Amino acid sequence: MTPSTQTPRFVDAILDWRPTAHIARLALVSAYLLGAAVKASDFPGAVAEQAHFGMSPPAFWAALTIAVEIVGPVLILTRRWLWLGAGMLGVFTLLAAIKANAFWAMAAGHDRFMAMNAFVEHIGLIGGFVLVALLDRKARAA
């Protein structure tokens, strides 16, 4: 084992492995790609979901959601305008978290706890999008 101020060799090996960054980006956007595939394969269900959350007109919001969930990940995975893809998904995630997980408007209890947990998880994803954009900018500058 190396001193605590140095990264262990096996961690260096993983981080230096060329596919690691791509795999990490894929992991970050995987839920959005899956969500787009599910919504696109059941568009009436996607429209019903938007209606459930009070979005009007629901078909427009369903189509926009599918588009964001496809375009954002593609931009991140291809590293073409990665900052834009990360921004798209970050804003989308924040708006979805506010709309779908408004724990502050719920009575105390299990449902509020679950909504608060989901909201905080979404905030973590937003942090991941900021980090991937920062890392990409640093990699391009190097």
Side-chain angles (χ1 to χ4, degrees):
M1 184 74 162
T2 57
S4 63
T5 59
Q6 294 181 352
T7 307
R9 285 186 193 162
F10 78 94
V11 174
D12 279 336
I14 293 168
L15 296 177
D16 290 339
W17 186 49
R18 188 172 178 95
T20 297
H22 186 74
I23 292 168
R25 288 191 308 272
L26 180 60
L28 182 63
V29 301
S30 62
Y32 299 91
L33 291 171
L34 178 61
V38 169
K39 289 173 183 74
S41 67
D42 179 17
F43 192 71
V47 172
E49 179 183 42
Q50 296 300 319
H52 168 77
F53 288 115
M55 304 302 287
S56 182
F60 167 78
W61 291 106
L64 183 61
T65 296
I66 292 167
V68 168
E69 288 184 332
I70 292 171
V71 173
V74 167
L75 294 175
I76 289 171
L77 292 172
T78 62
R79 293 183 64 206
R80 301 225 178 216
W81 293 353
L82 185 145
W83 61 269
L84 179 60
M88 288 171 61
L89 291 177
V91 170
F92 170 79
T93 300
L94 179 62
L95 295 175
I98 290 169
K99 190 71 173 169
N101 300 302
F103 67 91
W104 53 88
M106 301 173 140
H110 180 72
D111 289 343
R112 179 185 172 138
F113 172 78
M114 295 302 291
M116 183 177 65
N117 192 47
F119 183 87
V120 173
E121 287 174 354
H122 282 81
I123 299 302
L125 274 171
I126 294 166
F129 292 126
V130 172
L131 286 172
V132 79
L134 285 169
L135 290 171
D136 188 65
R137 184 175 73 171
K138 287 183 185 251
R140 289 180 188 280

